[in-house]
Amino acid sequence: MSRAWNYLTGEPILEGDVVKLGTWDAVVVAVINEDSPEFIDYIGEGIELKGPAFGRLHTEFINEDLVLVHRKDE
């Protein structure tokens, strides 16, 4: 069963969201569930972020450090 990925505020995490990870700026590049094309058994479900301070980062843990700044511009 796929997990629903949400910020601590309850809002869903969406691809393209501009976020802060602690003091780092980042963008959500993928929300990965079992049915996602990016899903790989050894990596598993999670959120993939991209930011200038760290490159790409896959995380399965959402805590108060991940904050939505604004949604992707349409």
Side-chain angles (χ1 to χ4, degrees), residues 17-48:
D17 283 354
V18 176
V19 298
K20 282 277 197 188
L21 180 60
T23 60
W24 296 335
D25 297 320
V27 174
V28 176
V29 293
V31 178
I32 304 168
N33 292 309
E34 289 180 352
D35 55 347
S36 301
E38 299 91 349
F39 182 82
I40 301 171
D41 287 336
Y42 64 88
I43 294 176
E45 295 183 323
I47 304 301
E48 187 155 336

Side-chain angles (χ1 to χ4, degrees), residues 7-8 20-22 61-68:
Y7 298 99
L8 291 185
K20 282 277 197 188
L21 180 60
F61 305 101
I62 306 304
N63 62 27
E64 64 276 355
D65 289 336
L66 185 65
V67 176
L68 175 64

